[in-house]
Amino acid sequence: MASFAKSRRSAVFALALLAVAASSLAAPSKPNILLILADDMGFSDPGCYGGEVATPNLDSLAKGGLRFTQFYNTARCWPSRAALLTGYYAQEVRRDTVPEVISGGRGTRPGWAKLLPEMLKPLGYRTYHSGKWHVDGKPLQNGLDRSYDIEDHNRNFNPQNLFEDDQKLPSVKPDSGYYTTTAYADHAIKCLKEHAAKYSDQPFFEYLAFTCPHFPLQAPPEDIAKYRDRFRQGWDVLRQERWQRLTSMGIVDCALSPIERSVGPPYAFPKDVALLGPGEIDRPVPWAELTEAQRDFQATKMAIHAAMVDRMDQEIGRVLAQIKAMGAFENTIVLFLSDNGASAEMMVRGDGHDPSAPPGSAKTFLCLGPASPAWRILPFAGTRRGPTKAASPRRSSWSGPRASRHGASCAIRPATSWISCRRCSSSSAESASTPGRDSRRPRRPAPASPRRWPRTSPFRMPPSGGNTRAIARCGSATGRSWRPARRALGSFTI
């Protein structure tokens, strides 16, 4: 059984390549795909990236798969998801801001910008979605067979706006024992069980999109209790400890970035900050300069955040256990990523914030703010504020019969238009230097098209922050290299 080795360099995901990969395999060997998306998770939050949180399931995937050490996203929810699911820059599909064009969160994709489920359906895949959507259009109108979509991102215990198969569901009542992260996993497991019972002759695509650890910081009390005292030494010490672990793991080999002490939240809500009480701060102040009340409040917020990540890992474990019970794990590609890096936002929404309620409960609305992310985004300096570089962890795992026999050495070129695998098949006539033009894709409409940027530095970002993805998988076992059948916006070697 082959496995991916640890990556020294990293690539950015182009999930559209999965359709290419699947189409190049014989029908009985088409892999299942489990795509797991976290929301606003810091680069070094999980244990396999040096974090303090217990993430045994993610750690296991990383051990048997590949960890990406560099990754680009759009640093906001909707453009990252559009890029992930279409394979195009978000500006190209009007899901990030384009001057003089209805775009961004209100933008509607052009008709040619199909989502990944639509690409996989003709290849025989059953397609499922569980969790956050945040893409224009309804899930079942975009190639999905089943969907569980929560459009209320302000409540983790009692969401008010949720849908199953595009049909509105009743609001969740308070104190019902409901928690979004668990509900997403429950739905994914339900779809997988149905798939095993009725569609076992078809491959599946499960898109599991968690809303954690996005604010509000809310988690089950038993999970919070695990970390209640873990962060009381403060973010300055924690930052150094994470740095040492990242270095010893070989994930980073550069100097520790300075903290941006003067940078606050991207949006100013001073009344909301005041509502949170005297323990709240809106700048990354050195821990030694905080009052005892501030230290206690900030350590509690970090514990809740850790509990959210911990719970997500537990639920990922349940989904993986179901796939193993189906006998499908050895032929399943598992991808884990985050739509953004750590968030510095501070606000109060939803049902408001009750200072007298237990922190992390349904009656509270807390955000980490700009201080804690300085430790979560190691080794980077900035936080999630808009379309730019964003630090977030990525890993992939596939132990199937056609997994790569090579360790990955990925050279990222976000300004390059095509992806192919060049290392694995020296006898192949395919070459990434001769990309050609995709005849299936029409020329980009001028009003929604970003200007072209120079193809110079391999790490040059496009002007408006559009980002790229590439998937670290190749067909070396069969002597194939992926052909540039779609514009995948990146290049890599394995």
Side-chain angles (χ1 to χ4, degrees):
M1 177 168 40
S3 64
F4 288 109
K6 185 177 68 175
S7 164
R8 289 177 181 267
R9 303 291 297 277
S10 161
V12 275
F13 280 96
L15 256 295
L17 271 179
L18 286 174
V20 182
S23 64
S24 66
L25 299 175
S29 301
K30 289 179 181 176
N32 304 305
I33 303 163
L34 172 61
L35 172 61
I36 308 171
L37 188 66
D39 199 343
D40 290 5
M41 187 174 182
F43 182 91
S44 56
D45 275 343
C48 50
Y49 279 81
E52 305 82 9
V53 186
T55 54
N57 294 294
L58 291 178
D59 296 352
S60 177
L61 289 176
K63 183 178 180 180
L66 179 147
R67 283 176 294 175
F68 292 86
T69 57
Q70 185 168 351
F71 196 93
Y72 294 89
N73 57 39
T74 73
R76 283 185 298 180
C77 299
W78 57 94
S80 284
R81 292 162 198 271
L84 178 70
L85 293 175
T86 66
Y88 293 98
Y89 287 116
Q91 294 95 334
E92 285 191 287
V93 295
R94 303 178 188 142
R95 291 298 291 169
D96 206 347
T97 303
V98 179
E100 301 179 4
V101 175
I102 297 176
S103 54
R106 298 181 297 115
T108 301
R109 287 172 289 116
W112 48 260
K114 303 297 184 182
L115 299 186
L116 179 59
E118 292 182 272
M119 304 176 208
L120 292 173
K121 291 289 284 184
L123 303 176
Y125 279 78
R126 290 280 298 179
T127 55
Y128 310 109
H129 159 252
S130 312
K132 187 173 179 177
W133 183 238
H134 222 167
V135 182
D136 59 301
K138 295 294 184 180
L140 267 61
Q141 297 172 358
N142 286 277
L144 285 155
D145 292 305
R146 301 293 303 273
S147 172
Y148 183 67
D149 171 26
I150 295 184
E151 296 185 6
D152 181 352
H153 307 148
N154 296 319
R155 302 169 181 86
N156 284 305
F157 291 107
N158 58 317
Q160 306 297 296
N161 198 22
L162 57 166
F163 300 81
E164 185 166 10
D165 297 337
D166 295 351
Q167 301 299 311
K168 185 78 164 60
L169 296 176
S171 300
V172 178
K173 295 181 180 180
D175 303 319
S176 62
Y178 181 99
Y179 188 63
T180 51
T181 302
T182 301
Y184 297 153
D186 286 343
H187 181 264
I189 292 170
K190 181 175 75 171
C191 290
L192 292 170
K193 287 182 177 180
E194 180 186 62
H195 186 92
K198 299 180 180 180
Y199 309 102
S200 59
D201 58 334
Q202 296 178 250
F204 67 79
F205 168 72
E206 167 62 39
Y207 175 38
L208 179 55
F210 292 104
T211 48
C212 75
H214 191 288
F215 64 82
L217 297 176
Q218 296 176 344
E222 63 271 22
D223 293 333
I224 299 174
K226 298 180 186 178
Y227 301 95
R228 192 168 304 281
D229 299 319
R230 178 65 181 85
F231 302 99
R232 295 194 178 277
Q233 64 213 93
W235 44 62
D236 293 323
V237 173
L238 292 166
R239 195 167 187 264
Q240 290 294 330
E241 290 179 350
R242 280 198 181 189
W243 174 252
Q244 292 173 2
R245 288 192 291 268
L246 282 167
T247 303
S248 64
M249 290 177 177
I251 295 176
V252 299
D253 58 0
C254 55
L256 180 59
S257 58
I259 296 177
E260 299 175 329
R261 299 290 186 187
S262 62
V263 177
Y267 316 108
F269 296 105
K271 292 183 179 180
D272 290 356
V273 175
L275 179 64
L276 298 174
E280 191 56 280
I281 58 174
D282 63 355
R283 293 292 187 276
V285 180
W287 190 261
E289 297 180 11
L290 300 182
T291 66
E292 193 60 36
Q294 289 173 331
R295 293 180 186 179
D296 183 71
F297 188 74
Q298 299 300 321
T300 298
K301 289 199 304 178
M302 289 190 281
I304 301 168
H305 166 82
M308 295 177 76
V309 176
D310 185 304
R311 173 56 59 173
M312 177 177 65
D313 185 84
Q314 294 179 51
E315 303 303 342
I316 290 172
R318 290 205 299 130
V319 174
L320 294 176
Q322 172 59 34
I323 295 174
K324 291 175 182 178
M326 295 162 56
F329 187 72
E330 297 303 319
N331 192 39
T332 298
I333 299 173
V334 179
L335 304 168
F336 175 85
L337 60 155
S338 178
D339 64 346
N340 308 302
S343 171
E345 292 160 301
M346 297 181 70
M347 61 187 72
V348 176
R349 301 191 309 203
D351 297 323
H353 176 73
D354 181 358
S356 64
S361 66
K363 295 183 179 180
T364 62
F365 199 104
L366 300 172
C367 306
L368 276 179
S372 294
W375 130 79
R376 292 175 53 210
I377 62 171
L378 274 174
F380 305 94
T383 55
R384 189 201 91 154
R385 286 193 289 273
T388 180
K389 289 186 182 180
S392 47
R394 304 293 186 274
R395 62 194 58 78
S396 69
S397 175
W398 186 35
S399 56
R402 297 177 189 253
S404 170
R405 64 183 175 223
H406 299 306
S409 176
C410 300
I412 316 165
R413 301 185 184 275
T416 306
S417 299
W418 302 89
I419 293 185
S420 67
C421 178
R422 294 174 291 189
R423 175 178 170 184
C424 302
S425 53
S426 57
S427 61
S428 173
E430 290 290 332
S431 171
S433 63
T434 56
R437 174 174 286 277
D438 181 2
S439 60
R440 294 177 297 172
R441 177 184 180 275
R443 293 182 181 274
R444 286 173 284 173
S449 172
R451 66 184 183 275
R452 290 188 177 274
W453 46 87
R455 297 186 179 187
T456 53
S457 165
F459 299 102
R460 182 180 179 87
M461 292 300 297
S464 299
N467 301 292
T468 60
R469 302 137 320 280
I471 187 165
R473 183 191 179 285
C474 60
S476 61
T478 59
R480 291 187 179 94
S481 65
W482 301 141
R483 295 174 180 149
R486 278 187 63 85
R487 178 180 172 84
L489 301 172
S491 81
F492 70 94
T493 59
I494 296 182

